[in-house]
Amino acid sequence: DIWLELIHYSRNIPINQSVEFTRYEICKALGWPLNGQSYKRIETILLRLKNAKLSINVNNINYSFSMIAELN
């Protein structure tokens, strides 16, 4: 759910620009309760996405990158 929401947020932002959002915005968009448990859940999911690598092979050239480059 969060990954799709981040894609939605980034749809009008140039590729090399940061996407800014708050945990509040994510909770509201996903219909989650506005509490510490939801905020912690978001942090956990974002860390997992940051640590995940996406690998793509195009014309026998491998590209690998993090799904989230940086968290602040």
Side-chain angles (χ1 to χ4, degrees):
D1 293 343
I2 290 178
W3 178 244
L4 292 176
E5 194 62 31
L6 296 180
I7 290 172
H8 176 72
Y9 288 162
S10 66
R11 72 189 183 283
N12 295 319
I13 297 176
I15 287 181
N16 288 329
Q17 244 181 4
S18 296
V19 176
E20 296 185 14
F21 58 91
T22 65
R23 295 176 297 181
Y24 173 85
E25 292 169 323
I26 295 284
C27 285
K28 291 295 278 185
L30 298 177
W32 291 2
L34 300 173
N35 60 32
Q37 183 179 1
S38 293
Y39 284 14
K40 184 64 177 168
R41 182 177 174 194
I42 291 167
E43 288 176 21
T44 300
I45 292 169
L46 290 174
L47 281 173
R48 285 183 187 163
L49 288 170
K50 184 181 182 318
N51 291 326
K53 297 286 184 198
L54 182 61
S55 296
I56 300 172
N57 183 303
V58 178
N59 297 326
N60 291 323
I61 299 172
N62 290 317
Y63 300 92
S64 182
F65 51 89
S66 292
M67 298 173 76
I68 296 178
E70 183 179 334
L71 287 175
N72 292 324

